Amino acid sequence: MYLKTLFRHLMKQKLNFIFKLIGLTTALFCLLIITVYLAFQFSFDKFHDDYKNVCRVNSIRAENEVLKQYATVPLAVGPILMESFQQVISFARIDLGGSVSVNYNGQQHEIAKMVGADSSVFNVLTFQFIHGDKHALERPGSLVLTETIAKAIFGDVDPMHKLITFTEQANAIYEVTAVIADLPENSHLYAHAFRQLDAQSTPDANKIEVSWDGSVFLYVRLAANENMTTLATNVSKVMRNHHDENADGADSKFGIFFQPIADVYLGPSMSMNFFMKVGNPLFVKVFLILGIFLIIVSVINYTILSIADFESRMKEISVRKIMGASRQQISLQAIIETTFISGLSLIIATILLYILSPTISTLTEVAFTLDTIFQRQNVLLILSMVALLIVTSSAYPAFKLSSQRPLADIVSNELLSRTGKALLTVQFSISIFCICVTMVVGKQLNLFKHSDIGYDRSNLVQLDIPDTHIMDKAMALKNEIDKLAGVSSSSITHYPVVSPYFKDRYDVEVNGEKTTRLINEVFVDYDYFKTLNITLLSGRNFNITSLSDPTTAYIINETAAKEFGWNDPIGKKIKYHDNRVEGYVIGLVKDYNIMSLHDPIEPLVIRLPYDEWPGQRLVVRVIGDMKQVIPKILSIYQSVIPGSIPSYSIVDDVYNSNYRRESKAFESMKVAAIVIALISIVGIFSISIYISGRRMKEYGIRKILGATITRIAGLQTLYFVRIAFVSMIIGLSLSYWLMNDWLSEYAYRISLDATLFLQSAFLLFAMVFVASGYSAWRAGTMDPLKVIKTN
């Protein structure tokens, strides 16, 4: 009986059914994506055995009296922890690693991510061994490859005990002692090969030397249920006894803390978190909020569509009540209808997700395979959300249908109840909030991408020079590339153009007193400023004919001059802390941002290399079409450094990658805002038709009495405008509060002017006018005599 009534009603109200189905399918499709994405984000590093007792050890260091968190620790911290605390079962250190070129049987191969690690790494972290076992790194010269790299080098040949030559490391030979499966996608640590860590750079293993050069990532396995906060407090006390304290006492503020490995990926941003997968907490928060909003809007939309459905149902339900139907039977009918439509929507949404999975996987960087979608936790979460949708969506309609008085319903003229108006207000508020927030994020991203950062990053290419060829090939490579017709200039530097540079100690005079400060430093050559188009405000550039410039000449930026209180910095004394020779400032450059606009520009010292090591990067300024010039640059690279695989990057791409998190969040917000707006439009359209039908006799009488088409249509639209106005105040107030708080995290930010909010309000009202336009036109052009006669 229930199903028969259901299908009879759906066939009678096809348009309402289609709107309900489209709204729920759209919402469930988006919720499926959000669910799988969030499940993947929160699954990081939980594949390690007993992962709750595995953690990364991070450090806290003082920089000019400001404490900063680092993802690395000095080499000696691991052995000290193991020796001093029985709660530490084992530890493993991993260096920052890098790309290496190797040779096997005369064939050159590139291992993009080679790391050095203690042999205990396989006891602390969990890896799947295909060949070999956990003892694979115990002998010097051992090498552990991932399956993909082993396949690339050896093909189908058994790689075990094969010898590989490291061409860029004095032809050092390593033996393959194990092959492991590729690290899972949900691992924050990624590596293609492991070799034994070279930990001999610390003269005294019991002394902690706080430096930015000799640090490593440290992972420890703790005893079960160990309190990490309490342990960290005790550890900090022990660490003080092992400090190799600097002259300025900065090491006295050094400390460490334990971070559960499952929290690393989505944890707070830390310095020196190089070569690790870093999650996007903002993106996760955006997805969570959008998921909640989608559930709310979907429930509201379904309920509103059900309200619009009441007109045709009231007389039917009233007759059924008069004939003896109970409230429970009426309520069950509403629940069955909601369950049917929800189930059908879920099936369609799942099919759509499977069909569009390649595109969605590319956008979200999560593999949307059938195995991923139908993981147990994902299925349970999705079914829970569908159950929530069914309960919340059917609750009000079931109550409304079952609680009406039969005779009163037959002659009822009620328009939209207070509950319906409140639901519309919430829906409108969410819509304008999403619109406004999306516009603010978009404008902030536009600021990031088009701001003047102090140098010209367009048409810049940077090449990596292999370590073993820097001394003999770097200058030859630069000279040959400078001869190309499509190149204006090039410069050899120590660090990539867009990169957090290391800090070192410099003795400077601040407010009349000599003090030691930690300052960002960059080593460049004589063509650096010309290649990057950096403005020299006063003084001079480095002079290639000056023998003293490499040791005594320094150029600083505007921020450094301001922080040191130097109105005219030229000639001011400055000395590298470990250098006996005192130098002086020869030039002042305009501030340029070496990282991103997330953080303010810091004091910077620019200098020539103080030894014969020129630097590992060659930055090239290209003229014209980069697609035509870059192949010529790479050809010269291979001719100057034969046998080495060229590695290069486009500076503009590297710079824009700084805002990848915000860009991904922005794209998701745009899609979600459109989806929420479309669902809201469907709801407005349906309820507008419903109200138009209920007021048609009133409009007919008004028209007979002289009301114009515009007047009638205005009355119909004004009903929604009033609700939209209240929603505008709520939505814009909430978005201003949240966006002002979000923007406060950025050193460089847009201003929240009235234009943004006026544009958002305009879009909301445009949405209302478009959605209610059909019913307004219909109300204004109806035949009054026909309406009065039939109603």
Side-chain angles (χ1 to χ4, degrees), residues 314-334:
M314 287 301 183
K315 291 181 181 180
E316 170 199 336
I317 299 299
S318 298
V319 171
R320 289 178 62 184
K321 286 180 181 178
I322 291 172
M323 296 180 67
S326 66
R327 294 183 60 178
Q328 289 77 12
Q329 290 175 316
I330 301 298
S331 298
L332 184 59
Q333 181 70 50

Side-chain angles (χ1 to χ4, degrees), residues 80 84-85 208 233-243:
I80 292 172
S84 306
F85 297 93
I208 296 175
T233 302
N234 297 330
V235 165
S236 296
K237 296 176 183 178
V238 172
M239 290 296 159
R240 294 192 187 98
N241 299 326
H242 296 271
H243 283 167

Side-chain angles (χ1 to χ4, degrees), residues 5-14 17 340-341:
T5 303
L6 166 64
F7 287 113
R8 184 178 62 203
H9 177 70
L10 293 182
M11 291 300 100
K12 184 179 179 182
Q13 297 291 334
K14 295 185 183 69
F17 166 65
F340 173 78
I341 297 175

Side-chain angles (χ1 to χ4, degrees), residues 46 69-70 84 114 185 200 237 246 250 284 309 311 366 383 389 503 526 534 538 605 629-630 723 785:
K46 292 182 178 178
Q69 294 181 339
Y70 279 75
S84 306
M114 164 74 73
E185 287 296 319
Q200 305 303 316
K237 296 176 183 178
N246 293 314
V284 171
D309 198 23
E311 180 183 16
V366 176
L383 291 179
L389 276 171
K503 295 184 178 182
Y526 304 94
I534 295 173
S538 62
V605 168
V629 179
I630 288 177
I723 299 175
L785 294 178

Side-chain angles (χ1 to χ4, degrees), residues 607-635:
R607 55 186 296 192
L608 294 171
Y610 52 77
D611 54 22
E612 295 181 357
W613 202 80
Q616 197 173 356
R617 272 91 188 175
L618 179 66
V619 184
V620 183
R621 168 70 62 186
V622 175
I623 303 173
D625 188 356
M626 295 182 72
K627 292 181 179 179
Q628 295 181 5
V629 179
I630 288 177
K632 298 177 183 178
I633 293 175
L634 299 182
S635 177

Side-chain angles (χ1 to χ4, degrees), residues 461-465 474 477-478 481 490-493 525 616-620:
V461 182
Q462 54 187 9
L463 292 160
D464 294 336
I465 306 172
L477 180 64
K478 171 179 165 56
I481 288 178
S490 65
S491 172
I492 301 176
T493 73
D525 67 4
Q616 197 173 356
R617 272 91 188 175
L618 179 66
V619 184
V620 183

Side-chain angles (χ1 to χ4, degrees), residues 330-362:
I330 301 298
S331 298
L332 184 59
Q333 181 70 50
I335 294 171
I336 289 174
E337 290 182 11
T338 303
T339 303
F340 173 78
I341 297 175
S342 298
L344 183 59
S345 299
L346 180 59
I347 293 171
I348 297 173
T350 304
I351 295 172
L352 284 174
L353 181 61
Y354 177 72
I355 294 172
L356 299 175
S357 59
T359 302
I360 297 170
S361 297
T362 302

Side-chain angles (χ1 to χ4, degrees), residues 393-523:
S393 299
S394 60
Y396 180 75
F399 167 76
K400 187 73 174 177
L401 287 172
S402 63
S403 62
Q404 296 298 315
R405 294 167 298 170
L407 294 177
D409 293 344
I410 294 177
V411 296
S412 173
N413 253 337
E414 181 184 13
L415 289 178
L416 194 59
S417 66
R418 291 181 180 178
T419 302
K421 292 177 183 177
L423 291 175
L424 272 179
T425 301
V426 173
Q427 191 178 54
F428 286 176
S429 298
I430 291 175
S431 298
I432 194 170
F433 172 82
C434 291
I435 291 170
C436 187
V437 166
T438 302
M439 293 178 68
V440 171
V441 173
K443 192 170 181 180
Q444 180 67 15
L445 271 177
N446 190 60
L447 172 71
F448 286 154
K449 294 180 179 180
H450 299 97
S451 291
D452 178 13
I453 57 175
Y455 68 93
D456 182 6
R457 65 179 186 272
S458 62
N459 281 27
L460 279 181
V461 182
Q462 54 187 9
L463 292 160
D464 294 336
I465 306 172
D467 287 344
T468 52
H469 293 295
I470 289 175
M471 299 298 292
D472 60 335
K473 302 291 187 181
M475 287 306 301
L477 180 64
K478 171 179 165 56
N479 292 333
E480 289 300 315
I481 288 178
D482 280 343
K483 295 176 184 178
L484 280 175
V487 172
S488 63
S489 65
S490 65
S491 172
I492 301 176
T493 73
H494 273 222
Y495 307 116
V497 175
V498 184
S499 169
Y501 299 155
F502 288 118
K503 295 184 178 182
D504 217 328
R505 293 175 172 83
Y506 286 83
D507 295 334
V508 296
E509 185 179 324
V510 178
N511 298 324
E513 295 184 4
K514 198 170 187 180
T515 182
T516 300
R517 306 293 294 268
L518 278 170
I519 307 174
N520 287 298
E521 64 179 4
V522 55
F523 297 89

